[in-house]
Structures are given as C-alpha cells and as structure tokens.
Amino acid sequence: MPDAATAAAALQTGEIDIWEQPALDLVPVLQRRRDVQIQQLSTIGLQGMLRPNSLFPPFNDPRARLALAYATDQAEVMAGGFGDERWWRRCGAYFICGAPYGSEAGAEGFARPNLDRARALLRESGYNGERVVFITSNDIAPIGHMAEVVASNLRAIGMNIDLQVNDWGTVVTRQPRRDPPDQGGWNLFVTYASGATMMHPLTNIGANMDCEGRNWAGWPCDAEAERLRGALLDAPEGAERTQLTEALQRRLAEVQPYRVLGEVNQPYARRANVTGMLNSPVMVFWNVEKTAR
C-alpha cells in the first residue's frame, strides 16, 4: 500500500494488522484509536545518510564531500523526513550515538551549518557550478522529503542541483552504476540504514573506504581510514580500542564517505489484538499471536 492514508485506514478497520513504518504525520490519528498500538521495536533506530559518488567530480575531492557536512542542517533534514523531534535526534557519530563505538570526535565543527565554510571548500575542490545529479524517490516518503531539504541546503551554497525523482526501484537500480552522472549515473542520494548495521566498523556499509572498489555504491577510497578500521577490528578491549575508535571517527569526519544526517527511532503500528512482537533492530515475525476481537 504505497499511499499512507490508505494504509492508515486499513489498519484502523482491521484490514491489515501491522504497519512497519507508519507515516509520522498520521501517528497522532492512530494514537487516538484504542484498537491500535504505537510502539518502538528498538532504541537503536535508523541512521540517515547522504551518500556522494566519489568516482566523479566534485565529490572525488574530499573537500567537496566535507562541504556537504557544513552545508546540511541535521535538524532541518530530520524534521523534513520524520516530523516531531521525539522521533529523531542529532548525531555526528558514524557508528551510532550511545553505541559501543559511538564517538562524535571530529564532527563538532558541523554540528550546526556553516555555509561560508561550505562555499570555501567547494571553491577549493574546483567546483564551478557544474550540474549535480541527485537521485531520489517519493515512494518512501521520508527519503523524498529529506532529499528535498538537502537539495535546498546545497543550492544555498551555490550547487547546481538536478533533483531527479523516480520510483524507488529505479533509484536502487541506478545506485550501483558506475557510469558518469550525465550518462545515467549519479552524484548524490539520500537513504537510511538500520542502526544495528551501522553501529559496528565491520558492518557499517558506508564507512568501508576500500580502495579496490569493492565497497558500497559511492566507492570512496581512503587508505588511512581503512588502516584505522583494520587496526580497530584487531585491537583488544580497553584503552587501545577506545583510542582507535576516536581516531577512526575523526578520519571519517574529515574525509566524509557519507554525511550523517541524524538518527531516527521510527515507531511501528499494530492492531491491539496482535501481541508478542519482539524488541529487535529489525521487525521479525516469530512469537507473534493474534487473538479474536
């Protein structure tokens, strides 16, 4: 059911039993129903991210990627995508705030936007108004809304943003393409990922800066970040691991494989006669029971 109002109506009438990611602007409506429950599966939540393509200008230059961090306002982006602040928070940690590797070292400078710094970095990177292809979709409403806010932030620093809105299937088909942006490729996209994946240096798909091109779409390369990541994974528990965690976070904040846009605690909605949902970073469907009305 791609239409949120249709899904909300179906939940209220009992046509469906569970809505995994209800539109947050409809949550107050659902909360007024005694036969509907709104809950969170996990406090780990989701991490919003702005992913640049590091193969082509301007984002093959880390200064242009860093400009993204100074230009984007996490609060604006999160509010655009997820509404009420009770569902999201600012966070500059690549490995999730409050998690074992959740340092924000190095991200202090762009906790709030600095447009002058962003413009200066763009100039230093050699950017001169070239078209920037930003792919997105409104099929997943928060992603489309976040992309619109980010596009506005980037236009404010002089970027020539071509926001291309397609169905989500087209977006994910284009993401792995390594073609130049003017030949069906791309420069930017917005998405979010499970905090359970992003909270560890081994599984965070965006922080992998492998220089052989075996990493996730965007393909950033930084030998020092990879050296630190490998050392951290090999380090024993204790002070050495803590120091390496901070060093890796600082390096990632400097070279920006992606811009962390904040963290979201997306609730789910269910019929009150559905019980047994397990606390988990992702929704699972064992232990679930449905009783008669």
Side-chain angles (χ1 to χ4, degrees):
M1 294 182 181
D3 180 68
T6 301
L11 184 69
Q12 292 175 82
T13 61
E15 183 182 348
I16 63 174
D17 296 304
I18 299 169
W19 190 5
E20 184 175 2
Q21 294 187 15
L24 295 178
D25 59 335
L26 294 176
V27 166
V29 176
L30 298 175
Q31 286 178 318
R32 292 197 288 267
R33 299 281 303 221
R34 296 180 61 183
D35 52 0
V36 172
Q37 297 289 315
I38 305 293
Q39 294 181 329
Q40 289 180 343
L41 287 173
S42 170
T43 58
I44 296 176
L46 306 167
Q47 182 186 73
M49 53 198 305
L50 171 62
R51 184 70 161 183
N53 187 338
S54 298
L55 297 182
F56 302 102
F59 303 117
N60 59 335
D61 190 312
R63 291 170 293 188
R65 300 197 299 268
L66 188 56
L68 299 177
Y70 282 108
T72 47
D73 186 329
Q74 285 190 338
E76 284 188 13
V77 177
M78 288 288 100
F82 300 96
D84 196 310
E85 193 171 357
R86 63 180 167 159
W87 305 120
W88 56 265
R89 63 178 176 179
R90 294 176 181 268
C91 174
Y94 279 91
F95 304 114
I96 305 298
C97 287
Y101 298 93
S103 168
E104 293 188 87
E108 301 88 352
F110 36 83
R112 298 292 189 276
N114 184 336
L115 301 189
D116 289 339
R117 180 66 177 139
R119 293 185 187 106
L121 285 164
L122 272 185
R123 287 194 299 269
E124 292 169 15
S125 74
Y127 179 73
N128 192 32
E130 294 82 1
R131 184 172 68 110
V132 172
V133 177
F134 191 157
I135 58 174
T136 194
S137 173
N138 289 323
D139 289 356
I140 304 174
I143 288 178
H145 295 161
M146 286 193 296
E148 290 176 6
V149 176
V150 170
S152 177
N153 288 167
L154 299 184
R155 288 178 179 130
I157 63 168
M159 297 201 79
N160 177 15
I161 298 295
D162 178 9
L163 187 63
Q164 299 185 4
V165 182
N166 299 110
D167 62 274
W168 184 241
T170 299
V171 173
V172 297
T173 299
R174 286 181 71 177
Q175 285 174 359
R177 293 184 60 173
R178 299 176 187 242
D179 304 290
D182 60 354
Q183 297 178 29
W186 55 276
N187 293 112
L188 290 168
F189 67 81
V190 164
T191 190
Y192 50 79
S194 166
T197 299
M198 308 305 277
M199 67 184 289
H200 196 285
L202 183 62
T203 57
N204 183 309
I205 56 173
N208 182 340
M209 301 191 75
D210 170 72
C211 289
E212 296 183 15
R214 297 175 300 188
N215 45 354
W216 185 46
W219 310 282
C221 162
D222 188 77
E224 177 62 10
E226 282 301 281
R227 184 192 70 78
L228 289 168
R229 192 166 71 102
L232 173 56
L233 294 173
D234 291 338
E237 295 282 354
E240 182 181 0
R241 180 171 289 189
T242 300
Q243 292 169 359
L244 285 166
T245 296
E246 181 169 318
L248 175 58
Q249 164 68 27
R250 287 188 182 280
R251 183 61 180 174
L252 293 174
E254 180 182 356
V255 297
Q256 289 287 314
Y258 64 92
R259 165 57 164 152
V260 179
L261 294 175
E263 294 177 6
V264 183
N265 285 319
Q266 169 77 43
Y268 78 98
R270 62 174 172 81
R271 299 286 297 176
N273 62 330
V274 174
T275 60
M277 298 294 293
L278 298 173
N279 290 332
S280 170
V282 294
M283 184 171 283
V284 295
F285 296 100
W286 52 85
N287 199 56
V288 180
E289 296 183 1
K290 179 180 177 180
T291 57
R293 292 292 302 267

